[in-house]
Amino acid sequence: MVEGKSGFLYFDKNGSICYSLHWEHYFQHIIQKYNNTYKAQMTVITPHVCRHTYCSNMAKSGINPKALQYLIVHSDISVEFDPREAILHHEEGIDVIPSNKLLSGMDMSLFTVEDREKVLKEYLELLENDYDYILIDCMPSLGMMTINALSAADSVLIPVQPQYYAADGLMELLKVVKGIHQRFNPDLQIEGLYYFYC
């Protein structure tokens, strides 16, 4: 629930979250069924069109545009954005921006965003003068969130277990780091590896 409003996530019959690709499939099915039934043909409806309609309607209903921007990762809403709003200050002098369950669908949300590899970089550039170091902790996957982190980072420190499959995964990660270095972030360096045991 955000600002007293709910119903932002839609679920399929199995209880899984519907992403934009699911909606696109549903819309194509509905449009095809309508166009087969009626002479007047329905125009194409895409998730992008629905996002704009949703934003407009929710903004008219009174929801804060900043909350909308956060909910649907939409950069076209013209609002003043406070980059420090999500920061939690700890008494020991460390600031944290915690994760939450909405982050689990971020890879799909970023799928249609222009320059999606640079979203985190653009956000962190607003904060970089406030800190000596910014550490980004990534989950062990090579999804869009990890690519965003690598595009934003000056260097990467890679934790590795001394096992065969971990070494195989490390080789894949090194290829990704090289690709990010060549395409998005020429300043990216490998700080080092550190081995750990579970």
Side-chain angles (χ1 to χ4, degrees):
M1 183 172 287
V2 177
E3 294 188 356
K5 308 261 194 267
S6 61
F8 301 109
L9 297 178
Y10 293 91
F11 300 89
D12 64 16
K13 61 184 176 186
N14 300 321
S16 300
I17 295 173
C18 291
Y19 295 107
S20 60
L21 294 175
H22 298 128
W23 284 110
E24 192 157 7
H25 176 73
Y26 295 150
F27 288 140
Q28 287 173 355
H29 176 72
I30 291 168
I31 290 167
Q32 183 179 20
K33 194 170 182 179
Y34 179 91
N35 289 342
N36 289 340
T37 306
Y38 300 100
K39 284 184 179 180
Q41 300 292 289
M42 187 183 285
T43 58
V44 175
I45 302 172
T46 65
H48 188 77
V49 169
C50 289
R51 269 172 46 151
H52 281 280
T53 305
Y54 172 81
C55 276
S56 300
N57 291 339
M58 292 307 289
K60 286 176 191 172
S61 78
I63 193 169
N64 184 333
K66 283 197 291 187
L68 276 175
Q69 189 175 31
Y70 170 75
L71 281 170
I72 62 172
V73 195
H74 205 292
S75 59
D76 294 339
I77 301 174
S78 56
V79 296
E80 290 296 320
F81 174 65
D82 180 7
R84 291 159 188 81
E85 187 174 27
I87 298 173
L88 301 179
H89 305 285
H90 194 273
E91 61 188 24
E92 293 181 8
I94 296 174
D95 291 348
V96 177
I97 300 177
S99 174
N100 66 37
K101 62 184 177 184
L102 292 176
L103 202 58
S104 64
M106 190 59 69
D107 277 6
M108 289 300 291
S109 297
L110 289 172
F111 186 73
T112 59
V113 175
E114 188 176 335
D115 289 331
R116 59 184 173 264
E117 301 85 3
K118 299 177 183 175
V119 171
L120 182 59
K121 180 183 177 101
E122 290 171 3
Y123 172 73
L124 292 177
E125 284 173 351
L126 301 172
L127 302 173
E128 66 184 354
N129 293 330
D130 299 346
Y131 297 96
D132 295 323
Y133 296 97
I134 297 176
L135 303 177
I136 307 168
D137 184 21
C138 297
M139 58 184 162
S141 76
L142 297 177
M144 189 52 64
M145 292 303 296
T146 302
I147 290 171
N148 259 269
L150 292 171
S151 296
D154 296 322
S155 63
V156 58
L157 183 60
I158 306 169
V160 181
Q161 290 181 311
Q163 298 173 354
Y164 174 77
Y165 291 113
D168 193 41
L170 174 63
M171 297 309 295
E172 290 301 312
L173 177 60
L174 292 175
K175 288 178 192 173
V176 170
V177 169
K178 183 178 179 182
I180 297 291
H181 175 79
Q182 291 172 341
R183 294 185 62 205
F184 305 116
N185 187 359
D187 297 328
L188 182 62
Q189 306 268 331
I190 296 177
E191 190 75 30
L193 306 174
Y194 72 88
Y195 293 98
F196 71 98
Y197 295 90
C198 286

